Amino acid sequence: MNIYVSNLSFQVSDHDLQELFSSYGTVSSAKVINDHASGRSRGFGFVEMPDRDEALKAMDELNNSVFDGKEISVNEAKPKTDRPRGNDSGYNRGGGDRGGYRSDNRNKSW
């Protein structure tokens, strides 16, 4: 089961996350997500636990608990969905006359 952990302290490492969850059962992976540009933690991570019952117990007991000085949220991770990229949002498509000074119309009155 894939578990989403949010509101992590920026000092929490992959190892810290794995240790926290391993007291509830087998942890196959634990990953704190870092910003690509700065390398700094983004304050959330994912834990993979193969046994569903162990994962549910860990989620139940760790959700809203304090870890490294912060109250964390622990939930089942939702599958990643495709997000529109680029100009698919309809904004910033360019074009259109916005008024103002134009050299070909300098003698016209607006």
Side-chain angles (χ1 to χ4, degrees):
M1 176 178 231
N2 198 13
I3 302 167
Y4 173 70
V5 186
S6 62
N7 202 37
L8 291 171
S9 162
F10 293 125
Q11 286 71 41
V12 171
S13 68
D14 297 349
H15 178 73
D16 298 330
L17 203 52
Q18 179 156 357
E19 258 187 22
L20 176 65
F21 279 82
S22 65
S23 60
Y24 295 94
T26 304
V27 175
S28 51
S29 69
K31 179 73 179 154
V32 174
I33 305 303
N34 294 320
D35 181 72
H36 292 293
S38 69
R40 182 178 166 190
S41 168
R42 295 187 59 198
F44 68 92
F46 295 93
V47 176
E48 183 72 35
M49 296 181 77
D51 185 289
R52 182 170 179 80
D53 291 332
E54 292 174 350
L56 290 171
K57 183 174 182 178
M59 287 189 320
D60 184 52
E61 292 189 19
L62 292 173
N63 188 40
N64 298 320
S65 67
V66 176
F67 181 58
D68 198 38
K70 294 190 77 172
E71 186 175 309
I72 61 173
S73 293
V74 182
N75 300 292
E76 184 173 0
K78 294 182 169 81
K80 187 175 181 180
T81 58
D82 290 334
R83 294 183 298 166
R85 300 246 180 215
N87 289 333
D88 291 343
S89 66
Y91 295 104
N92 199 20
R93 292 187 189 254
D97 182 8
R98 304 283 191 262
Y101 177 80
R102 291 180 54 177
S103 62
D104 60 334
N105 290 330
R106 86 181 92 158
N107 293 327
K108 293 184 179 180
S109 65
W110 299 88

